[in-house]
Amino acid sequence: MTYLLRRLAVFPLVLIGVSIVVFVAIRMVPGDAITAMLGTEAGLLTPAQREALAAYFGIDQPWFVQYGRWLLGLLHGNLGISSTYGKPVLDVIIERFPLTLELALLSMIIALAVGVPAGVFAATHNEKLSDLGVRVAAMIGQSTPNFVLALLIIYTLSAGFGVLPAMGEFSPLWQDPLRNLSQLILPAITLGFAFAASVTRVSRSAMLDVLSDDYVRTARSKGVSARGVIWRHALPNALIPVVTLSGIEFGYLLGGAVIVEQIYALPGLGRLVLDAILQRDYALVQGCVLFIAFNFMIVNLLVDLAYVALDPRIRLGEQ
């Protein structure tokens, strides 16, 4: 409990640091919300009109005043108003986040369902032809960019089968499960492919280390079946680096897979941040990045707690 409280106490400090960095970074990008909204017509504005619009968007004050005003609103649970959508930033994020969350979960399930068994299989057939095949496949998976795989999938479906994947809209899972799955399965495979390759390599390496430990040899000498030694004794300890990798990757996925969402035209959190940057929607960018950072810290905390469940020898917070 002490460890958990210490970690939770650090959250506000990290979030403030992230908010400062993103606040300064987005304002260093050339242009402003007025130019992004009006384009070339912004040059036709009179000084009075530009000043009025700057006051409306809240960019008429110095940076430290803008940040203080935004931080004060944040302390009251207000992330600001999106200049693009004309509604609270938190409402916009909540509308887009379910898609990104579901896509991340599907990608995680695919990666673990493929990567862990493949890594265990390769480790138990070490230096055999089947092990070499798994390692080559994993290397190809890690070397292939997501956007290349996505374009290959779309091209194969369109040129080979005359169909296109469902793109450009999102049906929530609770409204139409089959349509929802048809929209997200291909993006999930695209994201899960490289992730599965990483899980395969990490789980193979971890299994090779664990299989040479004394307690595994002891279990074998007691007559435990090969299946029991692998899945009941060796695998739980070998999963610790896999959990670490999964936590980091899942945190990134919750931040939005921008390229994959762009290719499949999915209205997720990644595309939302990209569009907000292009539109110089300062409040929306700040709110999205802060939301992503918070999710990342929660995932990392859950990963640390999962270590204890996998290996009781680990005691968090002890020196």
Side-chain angles (χ1 to χ4, degrees):
M1 183 61 68
T2 303
Y3 173 81
L4 181 62
L5 292 176
R6 285 208 309 268
R7 287 291 297 270
L8 293 176
V10 174
F11 276 26
L13 299 178
V14 176
L15 291 176
I16 289 176
V18 170
S19 68
I20 293 174
V21 171
V22 69
F23 183 91
V24 174
I26 185 61
R27 281 162 176 75
M28 293 179 67
V29 177
D32 54 26
I34 300 173
T35 305
M37 180 181 66
L38 298 179
T40 56
E41 294 182 3
L44 303 177
L45 295 174
T46 64
Q49 290 173 328
R50 177 170 284 277
E51 289 177 4
L53 285 174
Y56 174 78
F57 286 117
I59 56 176
D60 57 327
Q61 299 293 327
W63 284 7
F64 67 89
V65 176
Q66 295 180 41
Y67 179 77
R69 188 187 306 166
W70 177 78
L71 185 60
L72 184 62
L74 178 63
L75 295 177
H76 291 84
N78 178 19
L79 293 176
I81 303 296
S82 168
S83 60
T84 304
Y85 296 91
K87 53 184 178 181
V89 168
L90 188 58
D91 292 347
V92 179
I93 294 174
I94 290 176
E95 288 177 3
R96 299 293 190 96
F97 184 62
L99 185 152
T100 300
L101 176 61
E102 186 181 351
L103 182 59
L105 289 173
L106 284 175
S107 304
M108 179 74 66
I109 292 171
I110 292 172
L112 295 179
V114 174
V116 172
V120 172
F121 176 81
T124 54
H125 295 76
N126 188 30
E127 301 302 333
K128 295 182 179 179
L129 187 61
S130 54
D131 174 37
L132 179 62
V134 171
R135 283 189 287 167
V136 170
M139 186 68 69
I140 293 174
Q142 283 191 305
S143 304
T144 305
N146 286 333
F147 70 89
V148 172
L149 182 60
L151 294 175
L152 286 175
I153 290 175
I154 294 174
Y155 175 78
T156 302
L157 289 176
S158 59
F161 300 94
V163 296
L164 282 173
M167 298 189 297
E169 55 182 340
F170 174 64
S171 298
L173 182 64
W174 55 88
Q175 291 183 2
D176 192 344
L178 292 179
R179 182 172 177 80
N180 172 271
L181 186 62
S182 69
Q183 292 171 334
L184 293 186
I185 188 62
L186 293 180
I189 292 174
T190 302
L191 289 173
F193 184 69
F195 186 20
S198 299
V199 171
T200 299
R201 299 189 66 184
V202 170
S203 57
R204 175 186 178 274
S205 176
M207 279 295 294
L208 287 175
D209 290 338
V210 171
L211 289 175
S212 62
D213 287 347
D214 292 338
Y215 71 92
V216 173
R217 289 197 294 267
T218 301
R220 285 172 174 164
S221 65
K222 289 182 176 180
V224 179
S225 65
R227 185 185 299 272
V229 168
I230 293 171
W231 297 101
R232 190 168 66 248
H233 290 80
L235 184 60
N237 289 330
L239 283 179
I240 291 178
V242 176
V243 170
T244 303
L245 174 66
S246 300
I248 295 173
E249 185 67 24
F250 190 66
Y252 283 124
L253 291 175
L254 287 180
V258 180
I259 296 178
V260 172
E261 289 180 1
Q262 191 75 16
I263 291 176
Y264 287 100
L266 294 174
L269 199 59
R271 283 188 68 194
L272 179 66
V273 175
L274 179 61
D275 292 342
I277 294 173
L278 295 177
Q279 295 295 326
R280 305 299 189 272
D281 193 339
Y282 297 145
L284 187 55
V285 173
Q286 292 161 195
C288 287
V289 174
L290 205 65
F291 182 76
I292 292 168
F294 179 75
N295 286 331
F296 207 105
M297 290 189 295
I298 290 293
V299 170
N300 283 335
L301 178 59
L302 294 177
V303 167
D304 289 345
L305 297 177
Y307 291 158
V308 179
L310 290 171
D311 190 348
R313 296 172 298 177
I314 298 177
R315 292 294 180 266
L316 298 176
E318 293 186 359
Q319 300 297 327

